[in-house]
Amino acid sequence: MLRRIIPSSAFAYGTRGSQFRLLFSSSVKFQELSARQERERQELLEKIYLPLYGTRKMPGWIELLESGKLWEDYFHPFRWTSRDYEGNTLTVHDTQAIWEKLKKNNLDILLENRKLPLPGPRSLSDKPENEVIEIRNHLLSNYLVNTPKEKFEWEDEICYAGEFRKIGVMASHVHLTVYPYPQEVPALMKRFIEFCDESIKNDSLHPLILASRVFSSLNHVHPFVDGNGRVARSVMALYLIRNGYPPIVFQQMTSGSMAACLYTAQAGNDLTFLYNVVLQNVISILMRYRYQQ
Ligand SMILES: Nc1ncnc2c1ncn2[C@@H]1O[C@H](COP(=O)(O)OP(=O)(O)OP(=O)(O)O)[C@@H](O)[C@H]1O
């Protein structure tokens, strides 16, 4: 959700706090961190990016920035060393019913005029409010993404669908998470694809490990303005299915604990927690399937 771009936005209205991803730019004061958190974060950023600042005046710094090397060298995301978050309980039928009710509004006017409140959850469904809000917002986002860009006079940033982000992003749960600078993203995505191709070709990683690493790497590069979690989960599901495993849904996890798990993978270069979560989910899906037979 784009707090900087659409501060009083329809999307911000009613969205779960935990769903916000804060965007940053030098000109905008966005942070809600304590002084200590801000200091810690600043120190970490300087540690990673100081080489960039140090070489800013020297020839070649743009190439350095664009190479994605600073972030990559610090976190080594591709080096091989060793809700309920997704668990929205609403069914497809519930979602369909919400969509039908939403459509009774003039969606174009609703999205164009950001001051208008969105239909309240109670007017859409009698299911748990936060889950209805989540589904409502996803449906509206999808509608927006699938609507020709010219239709709304929104800032350019909102038209990023299908493109790499050109702005900085910040994780909502773990303030010390460092996503790469936007200039680093294209190079890192190239590296990500090479990493996947090499791992598949060499058959060097167990499919569950590869699926987990694909998931964590995509989340860490955070290539898009929005939808990174969904894309990462879909790509992981694809790897699992191709290798004969069931696609998993992180049913027992809160977004906070998933964020902590991903943070440990990044900052501690320790994916053990993530592997455990993935493995447990695969086993639990297979067990459920077995008992249904
Ligand atoms: N500390 C973190 N490091 C890396 N990735 C994180 C961290 N915290 C959260 N994430 C990932 O970022 C995703 C949120 O990013 P984004 O809002 O772009 O994705 P989304 O698909 O819109 O959201 P959702 O996952 O809620 O559907 C989370 O789903 C999680 O996978």
Side-chain angles (χ1 to χ4, degrees):
M1 295 299 137
L2 315 179
R3 180 176 284 184
R4 178 167 75 82
I5 298 165
I6 40 176
S8 61
S9 118
F11 289 110
Y13 171 83
T15 304
R16 267 200 328 217
S18 63
Q19 290 240 300
F20 280 132
R21 189 175 11 63
L22 306 181
L23 305 179
F24 67 90
S25 86
S26 52
S27 60
V28 179
K29 182 142 180 59
F30 66 93
Q31 298 240 19
E32 291 166 351
L33 304 180
S34 68
R36 182 183 59 77
Q37 287 176 323
E38 270 187 36
R39 203 171 49 247
E40 279 175 3
R41 184 170 169 76
Q42 198 52 42
E43 279 168 11
L44 181 60
L45 283 170
E46 281 178 9
K47 208 164 164 183
I48 300 168
Y49 286 104
L50 209 55
L52 172 69
Y53 300 136
T55 55
R56 189 181 280 260
K57 294 207 178 68
M58 290 165 63
W61 76 268
I62 291 178
E63 288 76 7
L64 179 63
L65 185 66
E66 287 178 352
S67 74
K69 274 285 166 206
L70 292 163
W71 182 86
E72 185 184 341
D73 285 350
Y74 191 85
F75 290 113
H76 313 302
F78 309 118
R79 189 179 293 174
W80 167 241
T81 48
S82 33
R83 203 162 165 304
D84 187 282
Y85 144 51
E86 234 192 308
N88 193 307
T89 57
L90 269 57
T91 63
V92 175
H93 289 115
D94 297 330
T95 303
Q96 185 65 40
I98 292 174
W99 177 234
E100 295 305 328
K101 290 204 176 145
L102 262 182
K103 276 196 303 186
K104 294 203 175 121
N105 297 272
N106 186 328
L107 295 184
D108 291 351
I109 291 182
L110 202 61
L111 291 171
E112 183 62 51
N113 185 347
R114 292 172 237 160
K115 297 247 161 32
L116 286 178
L118 294 183
R122 286 280 75 95
S123 71
L124 299 171
S125 168
D126 58 3
K127 303 288 176 192
E129 286 194 24
N130 62 337
E131 301 196 12
V132 175
I133 288 170
E134 185 172 58
I135 297 289
R136 176 198 69 189
N137 292 356
H138 278 307
L139 287 169
L140 285 174
S141 308
N142 279 344
Y143 177 79
L144 182 69
V145 165
N146 290 311
T147 304
K149 290 177 186 176
E150 314 73 64
K151 199 156 178 180
F152 301 112
E153 291 179 3
W154 288 41
E155 292 84 342
D156 285 347
E157 287 93 332
I158 201 79
C159 302
Y160 272 174
E163 291 173 19
F164 292 146
R165 64 182 163 89
K166 297 187 177 59
I167 46 179
V169 285
M170 190 175 167
S172 53
H173 284 283
V174 191
H175 72 280
L176 281 177
T177 299
V178 175
Y179 294 128
Y181 274 1
Q183 292 89 335
E184 297 181 279
V185 167
L188 287 167
M189 286 307 288
K190 195 161 163 270
R191 288 281 299 113
F192 167 75
I193 289 165
E194 284 166 6
F195 165 78
C196 296
D197 288 348
E198 276 164 30
S199 308
I200 291 170
K201 200 161 82 200
N202 303 338
D203 208 10
S204 51
L205 297 179
H206 187 281
L208 289 185
I209 297 222
L210 180 57
S212 308
R213 293 184 72 89
V214 160
F215 175 70
S216 83
S217 302
L218 258 183
N219 270 312
H220 286 137
V221 175
H222 234 67
F224 308 112
V225 163
D226 197 16
N228 294 283
R230 281 163 282 166
V231 170
R233 295 195 292 275
S234 307
V235 177
M236 176 166 65
L238 180 70
Y239 274 87
L240 290 171
I241 293 167
R242 283 198 172 152
N243 285 284
Y245 290 87
I248 59 173
V249 175
F250 295 112
Q251 294 236 330
Q252 308 301 329
M253 273 194 113
T254 61
S255 46
S257 50
M258 175 51 89
C261 194
L262 285 165
Y263 175 69
T264 315
Q266 182 186 68
N269 199 9
D270 179 359
L271 280 88
T272 330
F273 295 105
L274 186 58
Y275 296 150
N276 278 338
V277 168
V278 169
L279 184 59
Q280 275 166 10
N281 273 280
V282 167
I283 292 173
S284 107
I285 287 172
L286 290 175
M287 296 292 273
R288 243 182 292 159
Y289 177 74
R290 186 175 162 192
Y291 288 120
Q292 275 170 11
Q293 293 305 298

